[in-house]
Amino acid sequence: MVISVLSDDQLGAVHVLLDRIRARQLQDFGQIGSDVKPDGSLITDCDRWSDAALVEGLASIAPGEGVLSEEGSKTVPNTRAYWVVDPLDGTTNFAAGIPCWAISVARFVDGRPSEVFLDVPALNQRFVALRGRGATRNDQPLTSETRALATSACVSLCSRSIRVLQRKPDQRFPGKIRLLGVASLNLVSVAMGQTIASLEATPKIWDLAAAWLVLDELGCPIRWLDADPAHLSAGQDVADLGFPVLAAGSWAHLARFLPWGEALLRP
C-alpha cells in the first residue's frame, strides 16, 4: 500500500542515505576519471555507485515504489508514488575538478513532486521541500520574503540556452548571465534569490525534479516552454524527453524573460 506522505522515520532514513552518498562523492572528487556515454555526456564510476546505492536504499525506505534514474531505468514506474533520481547532477564539473554538483532525489505522488532533497556536497548544503509544508536549506526555512530581499540582477542559463543570444542579436539580454553547469542548481538559484530567472533548454525530468518543488513552495512562477512534466504517464520512456523551462523570482521577471525563453524554441 502506498503511503502518500513519508513518515518522519522515512524522511530521516533518506537523510542518512544522502549522508552516505555525499561522503563517497567528496572522497572521489578530483580522484576519478570519466567515460563518455552514447549521448556525449560524461559518467564516472562514482555516478554508477551513487545510483546503485540510491536505488537500493530507496527500495528499503519505501518498498514497492519505483525509481526513475538518469543512470538506471528511464521508464516512468507504474506506481502511484515513485522516485526520480539524479545521483550526480553536474558530472562534467565533478570530473573536471570544479566543486559544483548536486545529488537530486525527488519522490513523486500522483505525477508531481511530494518530497524532495537536493544535496550540494562541496558546499555542505541540503535543500528539502515537502509539498504544502515549505522548503528549507540546512534545516533553516526558506521564504518568499527572504528571497525578495535579494538584489541580484543575475540570470542563470545552461550551455544550450545561451544560444538565445544569437536568436535576438539586435537586443541586449536583460540580465547578468551566469552558467553553473548544473541544471538543478541553476533552477534553485532562483528560489534562493541568487538569480532573478533561470532558463534551461533541454533538462530531463531528473535534472529538474527536486528544484521544481523548491520553486513551487517559494511561489516562484515556472513556465514550461514545451512539454509539461506533470503529464508523464506510466510506462513512458523519458530517456530523450526534455522539458525546456523558464523559472523566475516573480511574475514580472517571468514576463520580462519570456520572449527570450520562447526564442529558445525557434528553429
Side-chain angles (χ1 to χ4, degrees):
M1 178 178 178
V2 172
I3 301 173
S4 59
V5 176
L6 294 179
S7 68
D8 288 343
D9 285 345
Q10 288 174 306
L11 291 171
V14 176
H15 281 288
V16 172
L17 177 60
L18 286 172
D19 288 344
R20 179 178 167 226
I21 306 297
R22 171 196 279 192
R24 170 63 182 267
Q25 292 188 359
L26 287 172
Q27 174 185 307
D28 285 355
F29 175 61
Q31 308 294 325
I32 194 168
S34 61
D35 301 317
V36 179
K37 294 193 289 188
D39 65 0
S41 61
L42 299 183
I43 186 170
T44 69
D45 285 341
C46 191
D47 288 80
R48 299 183 182 97
W49 179 89
S50 299
D51 183 75
L54 281 170
V55 171
E56 179 183 2
L58 294 174
S60 176
I61 293 168
E65 298 185 357
V67 180
L68 174 64
S69 168
E70 180 179 17
E71 309 305 344
S73 173
K74 297 178 177 61
T75 301
V76 178
N78 188 25
T79 52
R80 181 183 166 208
Y82 59 87
W83 298 81
V84 181
V85 171
D86 190 340
L88 206 164
D89 185 17
T91 299
T92 299
N93 283 354
F94 181 82
I98 299 171
C100 185
W101 78 91
I103 308 163
S104 179
V105 175
R107 181 174 180 261
F108 277 43
V109 177
D110 297 330
R112 298 183 69 90
S114 175
E115 296 99 348
V116 306
F117 306 79
L118 185 64
D119 192 275
V120 193
L123 296 181
N124 193 31
Q125 294 185 356
R126 182 170 299 165
F127 299 87
V128 177
L130 308 175
R131 189 193 298 174
R133 290 174 281 170
T136 61
R137 180 181 64 168
N138 290 355
D139 297 322
Q140 298 301 308
L142 297 173
T143 68
S144 56
E145 288 77 16
T146 57
R147 189 191 73 249
L149 293 175
T151 58
S152 173
C154 296
V155 178
S156 179
L157 303 183
C158 68
S159 58
R160 294 182 180 90
S161 64
I162 200 168
R163 66 176 179 262
V164 299
L165 303 181
Q166 299 170 323
R167 302 287 170 83
K168 298 167 75 69
D170 58 334
Q171 297 185 36
R172 182 176 179 179
F173 188 77
K176 297 180 179 179
I177 296 172
R178 297 293 181 269
L179 283 80
L180 301 179
V182 186
S184 57
L185 299 185
N186 278 343
L187 292 168
V188 87
S189 70
V190 177
M192 291 291 296
Q194 297 166 333
T195 62
I196 56 176
S198 176
L199 181 59
E200 285 283 328
T202 57
K204 302 295 177 61
I205 186 64
W206 43 80
D207 295 320
L208 58 86
W212 178 7
L213 185 56
V214 177
L215 289 164
D216 272 354
E217 288 299 308
L218 290 175
C220 297
I222 301 172
R223 176 67 61 88
W224 306 110
L225 301 170
D226 190 10
D228 186 336
H231 297 157
L232 295 179
S233 56
Q236 184 176 0
D237 185 343
V238 296
D240 298 318
L241 185 59
F243 298 94
V245 61
L246 171 66
S250 69
W251 288 103
H253 287 319
L254 187 79
R256 180 181 174 190
F257 290 99
L258 185 56
W260 296 84
E262 293 172 339
L264 187 64
L265 300 186
R266 293 206 305 260

